[in-house]
């Protein structure tokens, strides 16, 4: 099909979709100049039309031209036969584009702050990051579906949202982000209101579907059936689907085999828990985003102290409040802040059990913790006990002093401080502490 015929077919269909005024004002005098490297170049008669098409009708044009021109068309590019606008009018144009994007992000269900720019990459997440980038650069072709799995707080939702944002801002396709729970609830609601048609229009017409926490998809047959057909429809039309889950496909409970096989049919990548370096980098990014001034040393202290990124977020929240009162956050303030545990007390976090695990890890006798011995590893183990008792339970310094055979609670305070100081620079100590902590999470 030559370009003129292709463009005529495209316009004929667009004419049905938009009002007569819109069509005559914006579409009528446009031309398809060429298709090159997947880009359909469309010439507009003036800058006003260019602006409108680019910002308001890009996805409609792309969708329609793809329908007739096929999968070789990946995107549309608008230019104007008029002289470029002078710099005076670039300001508002730019602002308005930003505003439009914000609105599209909102409609897609995406938060405004999660993107690739503020996602730190390390060994634990580099595969998932690379696959997500590839998908966002050429949705529907790179890996379809992409299935990302990993534990709580490792950055799955962040990556899904980053994909969505990039697709909206750079490619101009439509995106829908939702959790499997939202999907389930909307479907149940649609059936109740007899509006499954609308439901399908929403979920089956999007160019990119980002389905988060897919382990929570309802076990009910009709929900799984709907997801199955949504998947098939989107995939058959070359639309991109990305799933996130806390487990790999085969370990998701009570999910139909045919869905599992769909999940497995593209690329499955995992994200491992962040290591110390990644936590440090993430802390720095997040602190800066919140306008909190902190240096690497402080970031390392926090990274060493926190087990996962959700906990790290908790520290940031408290820091933000503190930063409103104190202009500069220094090491002292951060250490004080970390000494207050707000982990819920767990019945399993029995002080005895903590002390037992520490003595086992450090290869000393249980009673040595309580005695006055000054051997280096005994002193270290005793301090670790103090630190873990303070952070894993809600015991006071006085209670802990009793437990470890000290008369004075300030000895415990110093012990806890010592460990907070050492964690960032001592790999083996950090590993030992994390190992013990993992029994209690
Ligand atoms: P999940 O969906 O895997 O449970 P989230 O994506 O919600 O985890 O991540 C938890 C928090 O950690 C979020 O605030 C997120 O922005 C942040 N986060 C996770 N990984 C990274 C990363 N690599 N870089 C920056 N922030 C991250
Ligand atoms: Mg998540």
């Amino acid at each position: 099909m030559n370009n003129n015929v292709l463009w005529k077919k495209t316009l004929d269909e667009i004419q049905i979709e938009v009002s007569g005024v819109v069509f005559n004002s914006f579409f009528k005098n446009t031309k398809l100049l060429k298709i090159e490297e997947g880009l359909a170049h469309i010439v507009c008669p003036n800058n006003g039309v260019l602006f409108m098409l680019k910002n308001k009708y890009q996805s409609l044009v792309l969708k329609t031209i793809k329908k007739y021109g096929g999968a070789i068309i990946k995107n549309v590019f608008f230019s104007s036969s008029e002289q470029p606008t002078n710099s005076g009018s670039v300001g508002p144009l730019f602002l308005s584009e930003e505003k439009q994007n914000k609105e599209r992000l909102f409609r897609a269900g995406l938060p405004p702050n999660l993107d690739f720019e503020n996602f730190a990459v390390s060994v634990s997440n580099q595969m998932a990051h690379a696959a997500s980038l590839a998908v966002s650069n050429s949705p529907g072709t790179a890996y379809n579906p992409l299935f990302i799995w990993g534990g709580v707080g490792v950055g799955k939702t962040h990556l899904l949202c980053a994909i969505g944002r990039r697709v909206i801002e750079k490619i101009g396709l439509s995106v829908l982000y939702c959790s499997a729970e939202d999907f389930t609830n909307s479907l149940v609601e649609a059936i109740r209101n007899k509006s499954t048609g609308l439901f399908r229009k929403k979920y089956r017409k999007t160019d990119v579907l980002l389905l988060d926490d897919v382990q929570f998809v309802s076990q009910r047959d009709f929900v799984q059936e709907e997801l199955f057909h949504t998947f098939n429809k989107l995939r058959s039309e070359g639309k991109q689907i990305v799933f996130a889950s806390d487990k790999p496909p085969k370990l998701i409970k009570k999910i139909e085999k045919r869905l599992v096989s769909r999940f497995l049919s593209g690329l499955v990548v995992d994200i491992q828990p962040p290591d110390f370096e990644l936590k440090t980098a993430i802390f720095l990014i997040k602190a800066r985003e919140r306008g909190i001034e902190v240096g690497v040393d402080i970031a390392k202290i926090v990274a060493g102290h926190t087990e996962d990124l959700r906990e790290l977020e908790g520290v940031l929240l408290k820091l933000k409040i503190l930063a409103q009162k104190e202009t500069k956050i220094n090491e002292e303030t951060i250490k004080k802040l970390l000494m207050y545990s707000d982990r819920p007390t767990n019945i399993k976090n029995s002080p005895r059990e903590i002390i037992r695990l520490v003595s086992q890890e450090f290869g000393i006798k249980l009673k040595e913790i309580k005695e006055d011995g000054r051997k280096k590893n005994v002193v270290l183990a005793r301090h670790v006990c103090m630190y873990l008792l303070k952070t894993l339970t809600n015991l006071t310094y006085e209670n802990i002093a009793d437990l470890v055979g000290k008369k004075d609670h300030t000895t415990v305070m110093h012990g806890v401080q010592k460990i907070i100081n050492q964690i960032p620079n001592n790999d083996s100590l950090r590993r030992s502490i994390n190992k013990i902590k993992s029994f209690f999470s």
Side-chain angles (χ1 to χ4, degrees):
M1 196 184 308
N2 81 24
N3 287 348
N4 287 342
V5 178
L6 170 59
W7 192 234
K8 172 141 193 342
K9 278 185 181 270
T10 306
L11 287 184
D12 284 347
E13 176 147 341
I14 288 176
Q15 194 165 13
I16 304 168
E17 298 249 343
V18 300
S19 74
V21 178
V22 167
F23 186 80
N24 289 332
S25 317
F26 304 123
F27 290 96
K28 206 169 160 199
N29 297 314
T30 52
K31 272 202 193 93
L32 172 60
L33 185 68
K34 58 181 177 182
I35 297 171
E36 210 172 69
E37 290 178 6
L39 265 190
H41 291 250
I42 291 147
V43 185
C44 312
N46 58 53
N47 292 330
V49 169
L50 165 75
F51 176 64
M52 282 307 286
L53 291 190
K54 194 168 152 203
N55 289 292
K56 218 163 166 196
Y57 296 104
Q58 178 152 351
S59 48
L60 172 66
V61 172
L62 181 63
K63 187 180 81 181
T64 320
I65 195 170
K66 269 176 112 167
K67 188 164 160 190
Y68 297 105
I72 55 154
I73 300 176
K74 296 280 175 267
N75 209 345
V76 285
F77 176 80
F78 298 103
S79 61
S80 162
S81 49
E82 202 175 66
Q83 288 297 306
T85 45
N86 63 31
S87 60
S89 57
V90 165
L93 200 76
F94 177 70
L95 266 186
S96 171
E97 188 167 3
E98 204 178 87
K99 215 170 139 199
Q100 295 263 355
N101 275 342
K102 257 195 191 152
E103 220 178 277
R104 296 170 73 200
L105 288 172
F106 179 77
R107 265 188 277 129
L110 293 167
N113 57 339
L114 300 177
D115 55 32
F116 283 113
E117 275 71 43
N118 62 14
F119 188 83
V121 185
S122 175
V123 277
S124 55
N125 61 16
Q126 62 188 7
M127 276 281 286
H129 173 259
S132 302
L133 257 185
V135 159
S136 65
N137 286 331
S138 49
T141 49
Y143 308 108
N144 204 10
L146 172 62
F147 190 103
I148 304 174
W149 69 273
V152 173
V154 293
K156 303 180 296 293
T157 297
H158 192 133
L159 274 181
L160 251 58
C161 294
I163 295 174
R165 191 186 177 115
R166 200 180 185 92
V167 168
I168 286 181
E169 290 181 347
K170 297 263 159 48
I171 311 209
L173 292 179
S174 62
V175 172
L176 183 60
Y177 165 86
C178 68
S179 67
E181 214 177 345
D182 294 337
F183 180 89
T184 305
N185 294 341
S186 310
L187 178 63
V188 172
E189 186 88 343
I191 292 172
R192 189 182 308 136
N193 299 334
K194 302 193 171 45
S195 58
T196 42
L198 277 178
F199 174 90
R200 288 190 180 135
K201 198 164 174 201
K202 180 172 168 192
Y203 287 91
R204 297 185 185 188
K205 288 262 153 72
T206 182
D207 296 315
V208 177
L209 177 65
L210 307 164
L211 198 64
D212 206 352
D213 289 321
V214 69
Q215 75 274 8
F216 290 135
V217 70
S218 163
Q219 293 162 10
R220 279 181 282 180
D221 291 349
F222 70 94
V223 181
Q224 300 210 3
E225 170 105 12
E226 186 66 33
L227 181 57
F228 180 73
H229 291 302
T230 306
F231 178 93
N232 289 345
K233 175 92 172 99
L234 288 172
R235 238 256 305 248
S236 70
E237 289 179 8
K239 309 287 182 65
Q240 177 73 46
I241 307 133
V242 186
F243 296 107
S245 157
D246 69 350
K247 297 179 190 64
K250 281 190 177 156
L251 295 186
I252 301 178
K253 288 199 188 99
K254 305 224 170 90
I255 196 150
E256 289 177 12
K257 278 216 176 76
R258 56 181 183 163
L259 266 176
V260 174
S261 89
R262 291 305 185 272
F263 296 159
L264 289 168
S265 63
L267 179 71
V268 179
V269 281
D270 67 324
I271 309 183
Q272 290 300 315
D275 55 18
F276 175 65
E277 283 71 26
L278 185 58
K279 276 190 282 181
T280 309
I282 292 174
F283 182 79
L284 283 171
I285 294 177
K286 300 254 162 202
R288 239 162 254 157
E289 271 175 10
R290 288 165 173 77
I292 309 169
E293 242 186 85
V294 286
V296 178
D297 290 346
I298 287 183
K300 281 183 169 178
I301 295 175
V302 178
H305 179 87
T306 46
E307 259 177 281
D308 58 41
L309 298 179
R310 297 256 159 102
E311 204 183 322
L312 198 133
E313 291 266 355
V315 175
L316 275 164
L317 213 67
K318 286 195 234 161
L319 252 188
K320 174 88 192 164
I321 298 168
L322 207 70
Q324 283 160 358
K325 291 190 223 138
E326 298 180 28
T327 42
K328 189 104 184 105
I329 304 290
N330 58 29
E331 290 192 20
E332 287 319 301
T333 29
I334 197 85
K335 281 177 198 160
K336 263 194 229 142
L337 188 140
L338 294 179
M339 284 168 78
Y340 293 98
S341 150
D342 53 9
R343 289 195 184 95
T345 333
N346 185 329
I347 199 81
K348 280 196 316 199
N349 295 5
S350 104
R352 268 191 65 83
E353 187 60 6
I354 292 174
I355 299 171
R356 191 187 67 77
L357 284 167
V358 173
S359 47
Q360 185 182 315
E361 175 70 20
F362 286 80
I364 59 172
K365 294 198 188 79
L366 201 64
K367 62 177 191 190
E368 283 183 286
I369 299 272
K370 287 196 172 194
E371 291 170 356
D372 252 353
R374 305 297 311 157
K375 269 197 292 184
K376 214 169 154 201
N377 66 331
V378 175
V379 175
L380 180 64
R382 198 178 290 134
H383 288 159
V384 169
C385 272
M386 296 172 182
Y387 169 81
L388 288 173
L389 287 168
K390 188 68 202 143
T391 52
L392 292 176
T393 72
N394 288 340
L395 293 171
T396 62
Y397 287 113
E398 284 81 0
N399 300 149
I400 297 172
D402 282 346
L403 281 167
V404 295
K406 294 279 166 257
K407 288 190 197 74
D408 191 352
H409 74 277
T410 54
T411 319
V412 179
M413 290 172 88
H414 291 308
V416 176
Q417 283 287 355
K418 278 218 163 101
I419 298 301
I420 293 182
N421 284 342
Q422 283 184 50
I423 289 177
N425 310 312
N426 186 336
D427 290 348
S428 78
L429 175 65
R430 202 164 55 233
R431 266 196 301 276
S432 296
I433 289 180
N434 284 338
K435 191 167 141 196
I436 300 168
K437 275 187 178 175
S438 68
F439 284 98
F440 298 97
S441 53

